[in-house]
Amino acid sequence: MSMLRAAGLKAYPVLINVGTKRDAEVADPFFNHAIVGVELETGEYTLMDPTDEHTRDFLPSSDWDQSYLVCRPEGENIKISHVPPADEHMMRVKTTGS
Amino acid sequence: MSAAGTLEAKTELIFEGANDNAYRNAFSHMKPDDKRRFFEGTLKRAMPGARLKSLKVTPEDMLDVASVVRAELEYSVEGMTASGSGKAVVSVPWMGKQLGMVNFILGGAGLEKRKYPMKTQLACGMREDISIKLADGFPEAVSLPSCLPVENERLSCQQTCEFKNGTLECSRELKLKAVEFSPEEYLNLKKTLKALEYDERKFPVLATSGRAIARAEKSVDKIAVQPVESNAKVLESHKELVVTDPHTSVYKMRYSKRILNYAGKIREAEVKVDFNPACQEAKLIRGVVISKTGQRQEIATNEMNVMDAGWNASAKRYTGGKILVANLPGVDIGSTIEVEYEITTRNKPFLSGSESFQLTDEMEKKSFEMTVPLDVTMQKIVTGERE
């Protein structure tokens, strides 16, 4: 996160709950994982999980469709992490035979 | 593919996105032998009897995330056709059903109906393309599978099969587009999966020329046996099953192993013997560790414990299993362990079991002996003997 900030990006720690979704209407401090979020100009966040050494994506699949809270000094609502389309997560098998 | 049904093929697997993530993680914990066994098993599930000739999994360092995980398999398989009356039913070498997150997720749709939604967490898919050049013995197609495509906002699937210029071209694409299925949507998913399963059982039927089949080669090059990367070398393993009557037996196990690396030290320092306390008793007879310098240490009685099996809490309807855990003293890399234990079984409805001679570690000697009274009926099957 420090490196992202040093590069001029608005980076924040993000608490995420891998498992049951949290109720966005209820103040809730119970999360089980911490990742990083970068605020884009549109106000949306790009989430990235620097703890996963085995992923080529910013956000590994274990963090998809989960409740998260961006830890901003002024507070933030609980959101649900994005699920990328199936086309980006294909298993491709090509067989040629003779 | 020859007219006799021998296929020489090469399959390239590309793991994208979530598939890359999951398989990279798994492969990073596997030794080269483990990877080979994994792909060999996958191949044989798809095509029984297939022989893996070569395997290349990249990147070599799975922590190098600059490139996607890929695997290339070269293999040969016999018996891909069933011929008769001028026709042949051709088995298409579909591999995709055995791999990928989409199959893993859909494999979890076992319930007939659901009270609560099914959550998949992932949107992912599988695309498989197959091109098989057929020998002269197949002049034309008699019938090719036709499959109705499925396309809705949660799932899409299509499968095609064509015979063009002596080549069989098949493709299949399956996409899971949603991450949650309500109980109603789940019923539709089940219907679709049933239709897909039905389509998977359709095979191309091709016309054959009898003379070409007779000419076709009947032998496939023998595959060189690959060296095994072991954690502990089995110096000797002897197992003995003494049957007293159809319900009673004593299973005696004796082995010695040399510890080759740290993984072997961790695994072999604890002897674990699973048994069912409802009808079995387990007893460690001997546990000796001989260090690299020849120093012998015997296991102390306070290093043996009987514990609940790990699965007990998740399967309460069954009689809980037990596990005899014995901690061998001073196990280290280079040391040799000698272990002997026995399991006595009583009042079992019948006695059965299997013994594998193909292990994950290098083995010098292994024997299995069974003693059965003449008045006890016994059946045995020996599989996988080398020709």
Side-chain angles (χ1 to χ4, degrees), chain B residues 345-356:
Chain B
T345 301
R346 292 188 189 91
N347 303 322
K348 262 204 140 179
F350 60 90
L351 301 170
S352 67
S354 63
E355 192 59 49
S356 174

PDB file of all heavy atoms in Angstrom, chain B residues 345-356:
ATOM      1  N   THR B 345      -8.791 -58.130  13.278  1.00  0.00           N
ATOM      2  CA  THR B 345     -10.184 -57.871  12.908  1.00  0.00           C
ATOM      3  C   THR B 345     -11.048 -59.044  13.369  1.00  0.00           C
ATOM      4  O   THR B 345     -10.688 -60.201  13.145  1.00  0.00           O
ATOM      5  CB  THR B 345     -10.298 -57.723  11.373  1.00  0.00           C
ATOM      6  OG1 THR B 345      -9.453 -56.656  10.965  1.00  0.00           O
ATOM      7  CG2 THR B 345     -11.731 -57.417  10.943  1.00  0.00           C
ATOM      8  N   ARG B 346     -12.180 -58.704  14.006  1.00  0.00           N
ATOM      9  CA  ARG B 346     -13.117 -59.752  14.453  1.00  0.00           C
ATOM     10  C   ARG B 346     -14.534 -59.356  14.072  1.00  0.00           C
ATOM     11  O   ARG B 346     -14.858 -58.179  14.009  1.00  0.00           O
ATOM     12  CB  ARG B 346     -13.061 -59.913  15.975  1.00  0.00           C
ATOM     13  CG  ARG B 346     -11.768 -60.488  16.486  1.00  0.00           C
ATOM     14  CD  ARG B 346     -11.836 -60.797  17.974  1.00  0.00           C
ATOM     15  NE  ARG B 346     -10.503 -61.159  18.460  1.00  0.00           N
ATOM     16  CZ  ARG B 346      -9.616 -60.295  18.951  1.00  0.00           C
ATOM     17  NH1 ARG B 346      -9.932 -59.027  19.035  1.00  0.00           N
ATOM     18  NH2 ARG B 346      -8.426 -60.700  19.348  1.00  0.00           N
ATOM     19  N   ASN B 347     -15.370 -60.342  13.856  1.00  0.00           N
ATOM     20  CA  ASN B 347     -16.821 -60.142  13.631  1.00  0.00           C
ATOM     21  C   ASN B 347     -17.141 -59.228  12.457  1.00  0.00           C
ATOM     22  O   ASN B 347     -18.109 -58.476  12.489  1.00  0.00           O
ATOM     23  CB  ASN B 347     -17.498 -59.574  14.892  1.00  0.00           C
ATOM     24  CG  ASN B 347     -17.286 -60.464  16.080  1.00  0.00           C
ATOM     25  OD1 ASN B 347     -17.307 -61.694  15.941  1.00  0.00           O
ATOM     26  ND2 ASN B 347     -17.077 -59.871  17.241  1.00  0.00           N
ATOM     27  N   LYS B 348     -16.359 -59.273  11.431  1.00  0.00           N
ATOM     28  CA  LYS B 348     -16.683 -58.488  10.228  1.00  0.00           C
ATOM     29  C   LYS B 348     -17.625 -59.322   9.356  1.00  0.00           C
ATOM     30  O   LYS B 348     -17.452 -60.536   9.257  1.00  0.00           O
ATOM     31  CB  LYS B 348     -15.405 -58.192   9.436  1.00  0.00           C
ATOM     32  CG  LYS B 348     -14.856 -56.810   9.713  1.00  0.00           C
ATOM     33  CD  LYS B 348     -14.022 -56.347   8.576  1.00  0.00           C
ATOM     34  CE  LYS B 348     -14.260 -54.895   8.306  1.00  0.00           C
ATOM     35  NZ  LYS B 348     -13.443 -54.393   7.215  1.00  0.00           N
ATOM     36  N   PRO B 349     -18.611 -58.691   8.706  1.00  0.00           N
ATOM     37  CA  PRO B 349     -19.517 -59.478   7.849  1.00  0.00           C
ATOM     38  C   PRO B 349     -18.740 -60.271   6.795  1.00  0.00           C
ATOM     39  O   PRO B 349     -19.049 -61.409   6.499  1.00  0.00           O
ATOM     40  CB  PRO B 349     -20.396 -58.420   7.195  1.00  0.00           C
ATOM     41  CG  PRO B 349     -20.326 -57.230   8.101  1.00  0.00           C
ATOM     42  CD  PRO B 349     -18.979 -57.270   8.743  1.00  0.00           C
ATOM     43  N   PHE B 350     -17.723 -59.656   6.230  1.00  0.00           N
ATOM     44  CA  PHE B 350     -16.832 -60.356   5.306  1.00  0.00           C
ATOM     45  C   PHE B 350     -15.496 -59.615   5.302  1.00  0.00           C
ATOM     46  O   PHE B 350     -15.413 -58.455   5.730  1.00  0.00           O
ATOM     47  CB  PHE B 350     -17.412 -60.429   3.893  1.00  0.00           C
ATOM     48  CG  PHE B 350     -17.665 -59.082   3.287  1.00  0.00           C
ATOM     49  CD1 PHE B 350     -16.686 -58.440   2.547  1.00  0.00           C
ATOM     50  CD2 PHE B 350     -18.892 -58.444   3.470  1.00  0.00           C
ATOM     51  CE1 PHE B 350     -16.916 -57.193   1.999  1.00  0.00           C
ATOM     52  CE2 PHE B 350     -19.134 -57.200   2.925  1.00  0.00           C
ATOM     53  CZ  PHE B 350     -18.150 -56.560   2.191  1.00  0.00           C
ATOM     54  N   LEU B 351     -14.471 -60.273   4.833  1.00  0.00           N
ATOM     55  CA  LEU B 351     -13.140 -59.658   4.800  1.00  0.00           C
ATOM     56  C   LEU B 351     -12.819 -59.247   3.366  1.00  0.00           C
ATOM     57  O   LEU B 351     -13.064 -60.016   2.433  1.00  0.00           O
ATOM     58  CB  LEU B 351     -12.092 -60.647   5.294  1.00  0.00           C
ATOM     59  CG  LEU B 351     -12.303 -61.173   6.720  1.00  0.00           C
ATOM     60  CD1 LEU B 351     -11.333 -62.320   6.984  1.00  0.00           C
ATOM     61  CD2 LEU B 351     -12.093 -60.076   7.745  1.00  0.00           C
ATOM     62  N   SER B 352     -12.301 -58.059   3.198  1.00  0.00           N
ATOM     63  CA  SER B 352     -11.920 -57.625   1.849  1.00  0.00           C
ATOM     64  C   SER B 352     -10.792 -56.609   1.959  1.00  0.00           C
ATOM     65  O   SER B 352     -10.579 -56.017   3.025  1.00  0.00           O
ATOM     66  CB  SER B 352     -13.108 -56.989   1.130  1.00  0.00           C
ATOM     67  OG  SER B 352     -13.451 -55.774   1.756  1.00  0.00           O
ATOM     68  N   GLY B 353     -10.102 -56.390   0.886  1.00  0.00           N
ATOM     69  CA  GLY B 353      -9.038 -55.391   0.905  1.00  0.00           C
ATOM     70  C   GLY B 353      -8.285 -55.366  -0.403  1.00  0.00           C
ATOM     71  O   GLY B 353      -8.557 -56.178  -1.300  1.00  0.00           O
ATOM     72  N   SER B 354      -7.387 -54.421  -0.508  1.00  0.00           N
ATOM     73  CA  SER B 354      -6.571 -54.341  -1.718  1.00  0.00           C
ATOM     74  C   SER B 354      -5.149 -53.958  -1.316  1.00  0.00           C
ATOM     75  O   SER B 354      -4.939 -53.364  -0.258  1.00  0.00           O
ATOM     76  CB  SER B 354      -7.137 -53.296  -2.678  1.00  0.00           C
ATOM     77  OG  SER B 354      -7.084 -52.026  -2.071  1.00  0.00           O
ATOM     78  N   GLU B 355      -4.219 -54.310  -2.147  1.00  0.00           N
ATOM     79  CA  GLU B 355      -2.824 -54.012  -1.861  1.00  0.00           C
ATOM     80  C   GLU B 355      -2.188 -53.436  -3.120  1.00  0.00           C
ATOM     81  O   GLU B 355      -2.260 -54.050  -4.185  1.00  0.00           O
ATOM     82  CB  GLU B 355      -2.108 -55.312  -1.450  1.00  0.00           C
ATOM     83  CG  GLU B 355      -0.755 -55.097  -0.853  1.00  0.00           C
ATOM     84  CD  GLU B 355      -0.798 -54.227   0.397  1.00  0.00           C
ATOM     85  OE1 GLU B 355      -1.605 -54.484   1.295  1.00  0.00           O
ATOM     86  OE2 GLU B 355      -0.007 -53.268   0.441  1.00  0.00           O
ATOM     87  N   SER B 356      -1.595 -52.247  -3.003  1.00  0.00           N
ATOM     88  CA  SER B 356      -1.000 -51.615  -4.167  1.00  0.00           C
ATOM     89  C   SER B 356       0.511 -51.825  -4.168  1.00  0.00           C
ATOM     90  O   SER B 356       1.162 -51.713  -3.134  1.00  0.00           O
ATOM     91  CB  SER B 356      -1.309 -50.112  -4.145  1.00  0.00           C
ATOM     92  OG  SER B 356      -0.625 -49.489  -5.197  1.00  0.00           O
TER      93      SER B 356
END
